[in-house]
Amino acid sequence: MQDLTSCELCDCAAGDLLWRDEFCRIVLVDQPDYPGFCRVILDRHITEMTDLAPAERTRLMNAVFATETALRELMHPHKVNLASLGNATPHLHWHVIPRFRGDSHFPLPIWAEPARTDTPRRPRPDRDLLVVALTRNLA
């Protein structure tokens, strides 16, 4: 069992902070092969969605959906993957990952073995534009 007094998502920013309120934060993950990869992280140590009250579940998913919408507006991906795994870090968070047909894992999950190695890198979304889109979508 993991020592919950030392949680990676509690102890560090876990990425470039794009937006935050008293409930959750949205960070841009430094993942060069997956530009636009964001995490929506609950700002208290809870492990499962069903540990939240129904209104809190809605609030967290609204942040996830706002992130997906912002990424779709700016990056025009072929697909957006949403995942809440937490196997390695049992702290409620969602991965929001823009996917493109030519990325190194497509159509497999990014945690699988790469399907190809000769993929060109896509640029990261403009950080300031992403912040503006998130703020607008969360209003």
Side-chain angles (χ1 to χ4, degrees):
M1 180 152 188
Q2 180 180 358
D3 174 13
L4 295 183
T5 60
S6 176
C7 171
E8 175 184 345
L9 296 180
C10 290
D11 297 340
C12 71
D16 179 12
L17 183 64
L18 300 172
W19 182 90
R20 180 179 216 151
D21 68 5
E22 73 286 349
F23 182 71
C24 68
R25 67 190 185 272
I26 300 169
V27 300
L28 183 60
V29 178
D30 184 19
Q31 188 72 276
D33 290 335
Y34 294 94
F37 183 150
C38 290
R39 282 193 195 106
V40 178
I41 304 167
L42 186 69
D43 268 343
R44 64 182 200 262
H45 206 277
I46 300 288
T47 57
E48 305 298 342
M49 286 293 289
T50 52
D51 292 335
L52 296 174
E56 291 177 313
R57 294 176 202 164
T58 298
R59 185 174 177 184
L60 187 61
M61 291 313 298
N62 284 342
V64 171
F65 300 147
T67 304
E68 176 184 327
T69 300
L71 291 168
R72 290 182 69 196
E73 289 170 4
L74 295 174
M75 299 186 73
H76 309 286
H78 294 106
K79 179 74 176 98
V80 176
N81 290 169
L82 302 177
S84 178
L85 306 171
N87 296 331
T89 305
H91 179 131
L92 190 53
H93 64 286
W94 282 83
H95 302 270
V96 184
I97 311 162
R99 298 295 306 275
F100 298 89
R101 286 188 188 98
D103 75 39
S104 62
H105 289 84
F106 197 87
L108 302 173
I110 69 164
W111 296 283
E113 288 295 318
R116 62 195 64 73
T117 58
D118 58 343
T119 58
R121 285 229 168 118
R122 290 186 171 272
R124 288 178 76 165
D126 180 278
R127 184 191 185 285
D128 293 338
L129 292 176
L130 186 52
V131 169
V132 168
L134 283 170
T135 302
R136 182 181 64 248
N137 291 326
L138 287 159

